[in-house]
Amino acid sequence: MTSSVVAAVPPSKSPGLSPESRMVFIGLMLGMLVAAVSQTIVSPAMPVIVAELGGIEHYSWLATSAMLVSAVVVPIVGKLSDLYGRRSFYIAGLVIFMAGSILSGFAQDFWWLVIARAVQGLGMGALMTLSQTIIGDIIPPRQRGKYQGFMGAIFGLTSIAGPLLGGWITDHLGWRWLFFAGLPFGIVALVFIAKYLHLPHVQRKAKIDYAGIITLTGALVTILLATSWGGTTFPWNSAEVIGLYIAGAVFLALFIPIELKAEEPVLPLRLFRNSIFTFSNIASLAVAMGMFGAIFYVPVYAQGVLGVNATTSGAIMIPMSAAMIVVGILVGLLITKTGKYKMFVVGGTVVMLVGFWLLTQLHYGSSELQLTLAMVVVGVGLGGAMQTFTLIVQNAVDRRDLGVATAATQFFRSAGGTVGIAVLGTIMASRLATAIPEHLPAGAAEAMPAGGVSVNSVLDPAMLSQLPAGIAEAVRAGLADALHGVFIAAIPLVVVAIIAALLIKSVPLRDTLEDPESPESLESVESAEGAEGAGTEPAASTAERRLDPTTGLH
């Protein structure tokens, strides 16, 4: 079954998009904006929400529920969209997300809001992965870099505007309007997509891999929950965490043979035989672990060690996000102009390493300027590398696998963030227990409050004001030492990303969505290989990039 209207670039070299495709891209940008801002706009209102609805002991569930459901749905929707087309799943994702937003805005108790956020996560997972996949459907790889740079700018923009807008709305309109504010944008996106997105698709008659979906879901849920709860809700060696990891291992053990035998596996394991796909996802995972670790714990340093308030702490992050936006757009334009990408992902990860090294140089007594400089360098590195991995993967797989391959990259990025925050948080907590006593002045142990002090003492001005000056200073210095351990631990993650980026083979980006298999096209590919081989980047063999006769794509 093939749709009658095609909103796509014709199979010829084209410097831009058709008018219909521009409308689709606008719709995708709006949908991505709505989904991305929902992850940041709520954060300033969390204390207010919990104060009204209760549930302080389960505080993390407000974020975990949406993130967990989103991570689980990404690979499933990616595969189903390959089988049955993108349009219906994207529209469903928008509708489900907006329904979850409405339910969140009308929440009457804590668990109502948790469930509503999970519904949002269901729609969010579909929007995040299909936005990137549809770009792969309508824009040739050579042109795709600049458009994915614009998409990356959406994430950077929401990381800046989300918390600021969220605080203003909470103060002036009330927290419920945080969930209603994005609905007009969602409706406009829905209109654009419904009217203009009509991609050609031949439905493949295949049996849905229900066993693979069930076992993959079980593995992801148990492993991500164990990682999120480990060291926070439960000790790492607790029965709950260990039991979840064992359950995850069992699900994975069942999942692998199921996928090897399935006619249309939900996650084709053959994709991992493609070295470009594998190394790109390893690099994306490692970059996300380091990035989210930095973004999550730098505000802790700003508030706890430097002693700034929450508003100033957020402002310190703005230069990083601005650097990520500007560099991401510039790199996208340069990739489109040159047709090369490897230099940017390698250079971006190396710059990230420099940024994390600068973070390790921070100590108790460092200035806001030193912290801001380190964050700008990290932002420059992220702008060069983060979005490019999606482009690399899309250029390396057959078109029939475009959805599931894009979803896999999105999943590894999400999983990296979850794992990075959990692991680095455990490092901070374990080091904090020994670091604070090391800085206590002589005789101050007797003045310690019952039960000792925690990081909350320095992040809460009311608690901090009740501590003697010597103890408060010891807490700040101890927190600086603990966060030094966090930033040190992030460096090997970035090194892994650099190594993986170096191992990615450089394949020329296609100028068209469909290349006819002809001697002329293969000759041009071989010529491109010769040009690449004359440079510093290794070229892939012609056999590795031979056109797929069924799709006309590599």
mmCIF file of all heavy atoms in Angstrom, residues 74-98:
data_model
loop_
_atom_site.group_PDB
_atom_site.id
_atom_site.type_symbol
_atom_site.label_atom_id
_atom_site.label_comp_id
_atom_site.label_asym_id
_atom_site.label_seq_id
_atom_site.Cartn_x
_atom_site.Cartn_y
_atom_site.Cartn_z
ATOM 1 N N VAL A 74 10.862 3.793 22.500
ATOM 2 C CA VAL A 74 11.654 4.254 21.355
ATOM 3 C C VAL A 74 11.976 3.133 20.363
ATOM 4 O O VAL A 74 11.652 3.243 19.173
ATOM 5 C CB VAL A 74 12.928 4.973 21.841
ATOM 6 C CG1 VAL A 74 13.989 5.008 20.748
ATOM 7 C CG2 VAL A 74 12.601 6.391 22.270
ATOM 8 N N PRO A 75 12.634 2.029 20.779
ATOM 9 C CA PRO A 75 12.963 1.002 19.779
ATOM 10 C C PRO A 75 11.734 0.307 19.199
ATOM 11 O O PRO A 75 11.742 -0.109 18.044
ATOM 12 C CB PRO A 75 13.850 0.015 20.557
ATOM 13 C CG PRO A 75 13.519 0.244 21.989
ATOM 14 C CD PRO A 75 13.146 1.681 22.110
ATOM 15 N N ILE A 76 10.665 0.196 19.989
ATOM 16 C CA ILE A 76 9.462 -0.479 19.512
ATOM 17 C C ILE A 76 8.784 0.349 18.425
ATOM 18 O O ILE A 76 8.422 -0.168 17.351
ATOM 19 C CB ILE A 76 8.502 -0.753 20.689
ATOM 20 C CG1 ILE A 76 9.164 -1.709 21.686
ATOM 21 C CG2 ILE A 76 7.177 -1.330 20.193
ATOM 22 C CD1 ILE A 76 8.391 -1.882 22.977
ATOM 23 N N VAL A 77 8.605 1.645 18.680
ATOM 24 C CA VAL A 77 7.982 2.513 17.683
ATOM 25 C C VAL A 77 8.861 2.613 16.437
ATOM 26 O O VAL A 77 8.360 2.640 15.302
ATOM 27 C CB VAL A 77 7.726 3.915 18.278
ATOM 28 C CG1 VAL A 77 7.347 4.907 17.191
ATOM 29 C CG2 VAL A 77 6.618 3.850 19.306
ATOM 30 N N GLY A 78 10.178 2.668 16.631
ATOM 31 C CA GLY A 78 11.074 2.731 15.484
ATOM 32 C C GLY A 78 10.882 1.548 14.556
ATOM 33 O O GLY A 78 10.799 1.705 13.330
ATOM 34 N N LYS A 79 10.782 0.352 15.106
ATOM 35 C CA LYS A 79 10.594 -0.849 14.284
ATOM 36 C C LYS A 79 9.216 -0.873 13.646
ATOM 37 O O LYS A 79 9.074 -1.166 12.448
ATOM 38 C CB LYS A 79 10.795 -2.097 15.149
ATOM 39 C CG LYS A 79 10.598 -3.404 14.373
ATOM 40 C CD LYS A 79 11.609 -3.526 13.243
ATOM 41 C CE LYS A 79 11.417 -4.787 12.435
ATOM 42 N NZ LYS A 79 12.416 -4.911 11.354
ATOM 43 N N LEU A 80 8.172 -0.585 14.410
ATOM 44 C CA LEU A 80 6.817 -0.618 13.859
ATOM 45 C C LEU A 80 6.642 0.412 12.749
ATOM 46 O O LEU A 80 5.911 0.178 11.777
ATOM 47 C CB LEU A 80 5.790 -0.384 14.973
ATOM 48 C CG LEU A 80 5.685 -1.498 16.029
ATOM 49 C CD1 LEU A 80 4.667 -1.132 17.099
ATOM 50 C CD2 LEU A 80 5.316 -2.832 15.381
ATOM 51 N N SER A 81 7.320 1.548 12.866
ATOM 52 C CA SER A 81 7.220 2.557 11.803
ATOM 53 C C SER A 81 7.901 2.088 10.526
ATOM 54 O O SER A 81 7.502 2.480 9.417
ATOM 55 C CB SER A 81 7.820 3.885 12.273
ATOM 56 O OG SER A 81 9.229 3.842 12.294
ATOM 57 N N ASP A 82 8.951 1.248 10.646
ATOM 58 C CA ASP A 82 9.565 0.657 9.461
ATOM 59 C C ASP A 82 8.583 -0.279 8.748
ATOM 60 O O ASP A 82 8.564 -0.364 7.524
ATOM 61 C CB ASP A 82 10.828 -0.127 9.846
ATOM 62 C CG ASP A 82 12.026 0.768 10.104
ATOM 63 O OD1 ASP A 82 12.042 1.899 9.588
ATOM 64 O OD2 ASP A 82 12.941 0.340 10.828
ATOM 65 N N LEU A 83 7.771 -0.967 9.536
ATOM 66 C CA LEU A 83 6.838 -1.942 8.964
ATOM 67 C C LEU A 83 5.579 -1.283 8.416
ATOM 68 O O LEU A 83 5.082 -1.672 7.346
ATOM 69 C CB LEU A 83 6.450 -2.981 10.023
ATOM 70 C CG LEU A 83 7.542 -3.943 10.499
ATOM 71 C CD1 LEU A 83 7.010 -4.837 11.612
ATOM 72 C CD2 LEU A 83 8.052 -4.788 9.342
ATOM 73 N N TYR A 84 5.048 -0.295 9.134
ATOM 74 C CA TYR A 84 3.718 0.220 8.808
ATOM 75 C C TYR A 84 3.696 1.715 8.455
ATOM 76 O O TYR A 84 2.620 2.263 8.224
ATOM 77 C CB TYR A 84 2.765 -0.034 9.991
ATOM 78 C CG TYR A 84 2.662 -1.497 10.338
ATOM 79 C CD1 TYR A 84 3.236 -1.999 11.506
ATOM 80 C CD2 TYR A 84 2.022 -2.390 9.490
ATOM 81 C CE1 TYR A 84 3.166 -3.344 11.826
ATOM 82 C CE2 TYR A 84 1.945 -3.746 9.794
ATOM 83 C CZ TYR A 84 2.519 -4.217 10.957
ATOM 84 O OH TYR A 84 2.435 -5.557 11.269
ATOM 85 N N GLY A 85 4.843 2.356 8.407
ATOM 86 C CA GLY A 85 4.886 3.771 8.035
ATOM 87 C C GLY A 85 4.992 4.688 9.241
ATOM 88 O O GLY A 85 4.628 4.319 10.358
ATOM 89 N N ARG A 86 5.483 5.899 9.017
ATOM 90 C CA ARG A 86 5.749 6.833 10.122
ATOM 91 C C ARG A 86 4.526 7.661 10.510
ATOM 92 O O ARG A 86 4.332 8.011 11.661
ATOM 93 C CB ARG A 86 6.848 7.828 9.728
ATOM 94 C CG ARG A 86 7.951 7.278 8.867
ATOM 95 C CD ARG A 86 8.981 6.510 9.642
ATOM 96 N NE ARG A 86 10.084 6.184 8.749
ATOM 97 C CZ ARG A 86 10.752 5.056 8.774
ATOM 98 N NH1 ARG A 86 10.431 4.121 9.655
ATOM 99 N NH2 ARG A 86 11.724 4.832 7.926
ATOM 100 N N ARG A 87 3.716 8.054 9.518
ATOM 101 C CA ARG A 87 2.716 9.094 9.711
ATOM 102 C C ARG A 87 1.759 8.796 10.860
ATOM 103 O O ARG A 87 1.562 9.624 11.758
ATOM 104 C CB ARG A 87 1.931 9.294 8.416
ATOM 105 C CG ARG A 87 0.935 10.457 8.440
ATOM 106 C CD ARG A 87 0.317 10.642 7.059
ATOM 107 N NE ARG A 87 -0.534 11.816 7.015
ATOM 108 C CZ ARG A 87 -1.833 11.799 7.298
ATOM 109 N NH1 ARG A 87 -2.417 10.657 7.654
ATOM 110 N NH2 ARG A 87 -2.548 12.912 7.233
ATOM 111 N N SER A 88 1.160 7.618 10.852
ATOM 112 C CA SER A 88 0.154 7.297 11.873
ATOM 113 C C SER A 88 0.774 7.247 13.263
ATOM 114 O O SER A 88 0.172 7.696 14.245
ATOM 115 C CB SER A 88 -0.532 5.970 11.551
ATOM 116 O OG SER A 88 0.414 4.922 11.465
ATOM 117 N N PHE A 89 2.016 6.755 13.364
ATOM 118 C CA PHE A 89 2.662 6.665 14.670
ATOM 119 C C PHE A 89 3.054 8.049 15.189
ATOM 120 O O PHE A 89 2.963 8.325 16.392
ATOM 121 C CB PHE A 89 3.898 5.761 14.600
ATOM 122 C CG PHE A 89 3.559 4.295 14.494
ATOM 123 C CD1 PHE A 89 3.619 3.643 13.270
ATOM 124 C CD2 PHE A 89 3.156 3.572 15.603
ATOM 125 C CE1 PHE A 89 3.299 2.301 13.159
ATOM 126 C CE2 PHE A 89 2.833 2.230 15.501
ATOM 127 C CZ PHE A 89 2.901 1.592 14.271
ATOM 128 N N TYR A 90 3.477 8.935 14.268
ATOM 129 C CA TYR A 90 3.836 10.281 14.715
ATOM 130 C C TYR A 90 2.603 11.038 15.185
ATOM 131 O O TYR A 90 2.631 11.712 16.233
ATOM 132 C CB TYR A 90 4.535 11.048 13.585
ATOM 133 C CG TYR A 90 5.196 12.324 14.075
ATOM 134 C CD1 TYR A 90 6.501 12.313 14.535
ATOM 135 C CD2 TYR A 90 4.507 13.525 14.098
ATOM 136 C CE1 TYR A 90 7.114 13.469 14.998
ATOM 137 C CE2 TYR A 90 5.102 14.689 14.563
ATOM 138 C CZ TYR A 90 6.409 14.655 15.010
ATOM 139 O OH TYR A 90 7.003 15.796 15.481
ATOM 140 N N ILE A 91 1.520 10.947 14.412
ATOM 141 C CA ILE A 91 0.280 11.611 14.815
ATOM 142 C C ILE A 91 -0.213 11.053 16.146
ATOM 143 O O ILE A 91 -0.629 11.808 17.043
ATOM 144 C CB ILE A 91 -0.785 11.454 13.711
ATOM 145 C CG1 ILE A 91 -0.394 12.282 12.483
ATOM 146 C CG2 ILE A 91 -2.165 11.876 14.216
ATOM 147 C CD1 ILE A 91 -1.296 12.097 11.285
ATOM 148 N N ALA A 92 -0.145 9.728 16.298
ATOM 149 C CA ALA A 92 -0.562 9.113 17.567
ATOM 150 C C ALA A 92 0.313 9.595 18.711
ATOM 151 O O ALA A 92 -0.175 9.856 19.823
ATOM 152 C CB ALA A 92 -0.505 7.591 17.449
ATOM 153 N N GLY A 93 1.631 9.731 18.449
ATOM 154 C CA GLY A 93 2.528 10.219 19.490
ATOM 155 C C GLY A 93 2.166 11.621 19.945
ATOM 156 O O GLY A 93 2.166 11.917 21.146
ATOM 157 N N LEU A 94 1.846 12.497 18.990
ATOM 158 C CA LEU A 94 1.437 13.862 19.334
ATOM 159 C C LEU A 94 0.152 13.863 20.165
ATOM 160 O O LEU A 94 0.053 14.563 21.179
ATOM 161 C CB LEU A 94 1.226 14.677 18.060
ATOM 162 C CG LEU A 94 2.394 15.523 17.549
ATOM 163 C CD1 LEU A 94 2.051 16.134 16.197
ATOM 164 C CD2 LEU A 94 2.778 16.605 18.536
ATOM 165 N N VAL A 95 -0.835 13.087 19.719
ATOM 166 C CA VAL A 95 -2.120 13.053 20.417
ATOM 167 C C VAL A 95 -1.953 12.488 21.830
ATOM 168 O O VAL A 95 -2.492 13.041 22.804
ATOM 169 C CB VAL A 95 -3.147 12.219 19.617
ATOM 170 C CG1 VAL A 95 -4.420 11.993 20.433
ATOM 171 C CG2 VAL A 95 -3.478 12.905 18.299
ATOM 172 N N ILE A 96 -1.186 11.403 21.967
ATOM 173 C CA ILE A 96 -0.970 10.797 23.282
ATOM 174 C C ILE A 96 -0.222 11.749 24.197
ATOM 175 O O ILE A 96 -0.548 11.895 25.381
ATOM 176 C CB ILE A 96 -0.207 9.461 23.138
ATOM 177 C CG1 ILE A 96 -1.108 8.415 22.476
ATOM 178 C CG2 ILE A 96 0.274 8.954 24.500
ATOM 179 C CD1 ILE A 96 -0.375 7.144 22.094
ATOM 180 N N PHE A 97 0.796 12.433 23.646
ATOM 181 C CA PHE A 97 1.549 13.373 24.463
ATOM 182 C C PHE A 97 0.655 14.494 24.966
ATOM 183 O O PHE A 97 0.716 14.875 26.150
ATOM 184 C CB PHE A 97 2.719 13.952 23.674
ATOM 185 C CG PHE A 97 3.542 14.934 24.453
ATOM 186 C CD1 PHE A 97 4.532 14.492 25.317
ATOM 187 C CD2 PHE A 97 3.308 16.295 24.358
ATOM 188 C CE1 PHE A 97 5.279 15.391 26.057
ATOM 189 C CE2 PHE A 97 4.045 17.204 25.089
ATOM 190 C CZ PHE A 97 5.037 16.751 25.938
ATOM 191 N N MET A 98 -0.176 15.048 24.098
ATOM 192 C CA MET A 98 -1.059 16.135 24.521
ATOM 193 C C MET A 98 -2.101 15.634 25.520
ATOM 194 O O MET A 98 -2.458 16.355 26.470
ATOM 195 C CB MET A 98 -1.725 16.775 23.304
ATOM 196 C CG MET A 98 -0.754 17.602 22.469
ATOM 197 S SD MET A 98 -1.558 18.621 21.193
ATOM 198 C CE MET A 98 -2.093 17.360 20.046
#
